Amino acid sequence: MERLTRTLEWLYSLEARGEIYKLERMEQALAHIGNPHLRLNAVHVAGTKGKGSVCAMLDACLRAAGLRVGLYTKPHLVNLAERTRVDGGEIPAALLLDYIEKLRAIYDHAGLALTFFEFTVAMMFLYFAEAKVDIAIIETGLGGRLDSTNVVHPLLSVITPIGFDHVEYLGYTISAIAAEKGGIIKPEVPVVVGAREPDARVTLASIAQQHRAPVRMLDRDFFYTPHPREHRLDYRGLGLSLDGVEIALKGPFQQENAAITLAAIDAMRALGWKIDEAQIRRGLAEVAWPGRFEVVSQRPLVVLDCAHNALSITALLETIEVELGHDVRPRLVFGCLEDKDWERMAELLGPRIRDVTLTRVKPKRPLDPERLAPAFSRYVPTRVEREPLRALELVLSEIGPDDVVLVTGSVYLVGEVYPYFLARAGRNALFPEARS
């Protein structure tokens, strides 16, 4: 355990190097370990909203079809191992340690000073290749075009809804952001587009045309009828039509994510992958994606949600309306990063909550809650408790069994309070360790 702790401390120290957006560095790093990314069948997923949920749904459906699936998502909630999973299980701690030490020695010898993200992406590619997964589902980090994952040669690209986030890196217009996300589109590789924004669709269609990449676009090539209160939808695509598909994940936005997932599976079936209707239904009915409108306590009702921008906060409020009712006013625990549009998030949340306890997200660019306070205090009683867990415990100490508590604003905030609920359930991690 001490060896693992020291090694993880070294790995996280790489975050001080920041981010470097040059794919040549990633290609050089992968060449030193035998180019494992070139040995993978991959589905590459980018977007502003929903890409993690789409990855989780694809993973569940493909595993239900009997495939050995690698799933890479970021960031993690509790453990670094969550980012890199095989057949639903986290990379085992002992194996994670071995990979970090092995790659550290290789890159130190080669004189490559990788960033934290570059290092973890290289580790993911090597693990998936050596685990001999049938298919790897890979979520981009930031953007797409220069994201470290964009060295992969996928069999399918997927782009989920696009909105304003990370504008200082991706651009200040929907077209500019779409161009960055669309950078994952590869020559003659099919792409599923779940974006509805007209400017995004035009941009992505143009990129696909330049690459001669066949496009399946939402509301043009595939359609869905949502039934959010019943947690099911009807789907119509180019080669697949399904009625009454049940979804384990709550919220109207998950209906859209499920439709994008079904379009991706439809495209994979057209490429020859054997995934039948019963397997698809089973996967979507069983999918789990922690921290996405997740109820972690019933009485009182406590909901954790990783919404971290205006687009996802809007989706969260729609879900509250559908799942809990229009009159429900949760007691909010909120914290976010300083580079988010926190004033807009406060405008959206303020009229829909009873009160708010503001806290400070610990990792990466936290926004001081004192700066947040004026944005919320115009709507509801507002207070500050800088420690996330103490903020949660403070609210829980004041409420009755019929109250509702909502924790949101950042993936990192959800990650910081999640261990509290894991401990109550007698668990240490979100997922079991992967089996060899």
Side-chain angles (χ1 to χ4, degrees):
M1 182 60 70
E2 182 180 347
R3 177 176 155 222
L4 178 61
T5 299
R6 289 199 313 270
T7 302
L8 288 176
E9 286 175 352
W10 171 83
L11 181 61
Y12 280 111
S13 75
L14 302 186
E15 290 184 324
R17 295 174 178 170
E19 299 292 344
I20 299 173
Y21 302 105
K22 292 183 179 180
L23 294 185
E24 297 82 3
R25 287 169 51 89
M26 199 69 233
E27 290 168 343
Q28 184 182 3
L30 292 169
H32 280 282
I33 56 174
N35 289 317
H37 61 304
L38 301 183
R39 307 202 298 270
L40 298 175
N41 294 309
V43 177
H44 201 195
V45 183
T48 304
K49 180 173 74 75
K51 60 182 184 291
S53 295
V54 168
C55 287
M57 291 182 189
L58 274 172
D59 170 66
C61 291
L62 299 180
R63 285 193 287 120
L67 296 169
R68 183 168 171 79
V69 184
L71 174 63
Y72 178 77
T73 58
K74 71 171 286 286
H76 58 277
L77 291 180
V78 179
N79 299 310
L80 178 68
E82 293 166 28
R83 298 185 181 214
T84 310
R85 294 161 54 198
V86 170
D87 283 347
E90 301 175 2
I91 180 173
L95 191 55
L96 175 65
L97 176 59
D98 289 343
Y99 273 111
I100 295 172
E101 291 180 339
K102 176 181 178 179
L103 294 187
R104 180 181 182 181
I106 291 171
Y107 294 135
D108 283 351
H109 184 265
L112 281 176
L114 297 185
T115 66
F116 174 83
F117 187 50
E118 288 172 331
F119 193 99
T120 55
V121 167
M123 182 169 62
M124 172 270 293
F125 281 132
L126 185 60
Y127 175 47
F128 286 169
E130 294 188 344
K132 294 182 169 56
V133 299
D134 296 314
I135 191 158
I137 301 164
I138 298 171
E139 178 187 1
T140 61
L142 177 66
R145 182 175 63 92
L146 296 177
D147 186 79
S148 294
T149 64
N150 200 30
V151 295
V152 73
H153 296 183
L155 59 91
L156 176 69
S157 303
V158 179
I159 299 175
T160 65
I162 289 174
F164 291 103
D165 200 11
H166 302 295
V167 293
E168 68 276 22
Y169 300 106
L170 304 180
Y172 291 86
T173 67
I174 290 295
S175 294
I177 295 170
E180 291 298 319
K181 307 289 186 182
I184 72 167
I185 298 173
K186 302 296 191 302
E188 301 181 2
V189 173
V191 56
V192 170
V193 173
R196 293 182 181 275
E197 301 81 357
D199 288 347
R201 290 163 75 93
V202 169
T203 299
L204 294 171
S206 175
I207 295 171
Q209 184 178 35
Q210 293 169 26
H211 289 296
R212 303 179 305 283
V215 179
R216 294 175 186 241
M217 191 168 287
L218 177 63
D219 295 333
R220 188 192 74 184
D221 306 301
F222 65 97
F223 309 84
Y224 73 102
T225 303
H227 305 284
R229 294 185 189 277
E230 295 81 21
H231 302 151
R232 61 182 176 83
L233 80 159
D234 305 324
Y235 173 84
R236 296 291 178 272
L238 295 179
L240 182 67
S241 293
L242 297 171
D243 289 324
V245 180
E246 295 184 3
I247 313 166
L249 304 183
K250 299 179 178 68
F253 66 102
Q254 296 293 8
Q255 308 270 309
E256 182 176 69
N257 291 334
I260 295 167
T261 300
L262 289 168
I265 293 171
D266 202 353
M268 290 182 65
R269 282 160 51 108
L271 293 171
W273 291 80
K274 305 298 183 185
I275 312 157
D276 66 31
E277 177 180 325
Q279 294 162 341
I280 295 168
R281 289 181 181 274
R282 178 184 161 198
L284 290 178
E286 295 179 353
V287 62
W289 190 221
R292 280 69 183 180
F293 203 83
E294 184 180 6
V295 176
V296 291
S297 171
Q298 289 289 348
R299 286 179 63 83
L301 191 72
V302 180
V303 176
L304 306 183
D305 193 275
C306 290
H308 58 278
N309 55 41
L311 199 60
S312 53
I313 290 292
T314 300
L316 168 60
L317 292 174
E318 291 173 355
T319 303
I320 292 173
E321 183 96 12
V322 169
E323 297 293 332
L324 305 180
H326 178 72
D327 295 330
V328 169
R329 294 290 185 270
R331 299 194 65 176
L332 178 65
V333 177
F334 185 92
C336 67
L337 304 186
E338 65 180 357
D339 58 355
K340 300 299 180 180
D341 188 359
W342 44 271
E343 290 180 314
R344 178 57 180 155
M345 288 196 283
E347 287 176 4
L348 292 167
L349 286 164
R352 300 290 301 277
I353 58 176
R354 176 175 150 192
D355 57 40
V356 60
T357 301
L358 301 175
T359 190
R360 187 177 189 271
V361 179
K362 290 180 182 176
K364 289 189 176 183
R365 312 178 307 281
L367 178 68
D368 280 335
E370 289 83 2
R371 288 184 64 195
L372 265 171
F376 277 98
S377 61
R378 71 186 68 172
Y379 300 104
V380 292
T382 301
R383 66 185 173 188
V384 170
E385 172 48 67
R386 295 176 69 84
E387 289 296 321
L389 187 56
R390 285 168 57 186
L392 173 67
E393 290 175 331
L394 178 62
V395 174
L396 291 177
S397 71
E398 299 171 341
I399 62 176
D402 296 323
D403 283 324
V404 176
V405 177
L406 172 65
V407 181
T408 195
S410 169
V411 178
Y412 299 102
L413 174 61
V414 171
E416 287 184 52
V417 303
Y418 214 119
Y420 173 86
F421 296 99
L422 286 177
R424 287 174 55 175
R427 297 162 54 200
N428 295 317
L430 294 178
F431 306 101
E433 285 194 344
R435 287 177 261 176
S436 58

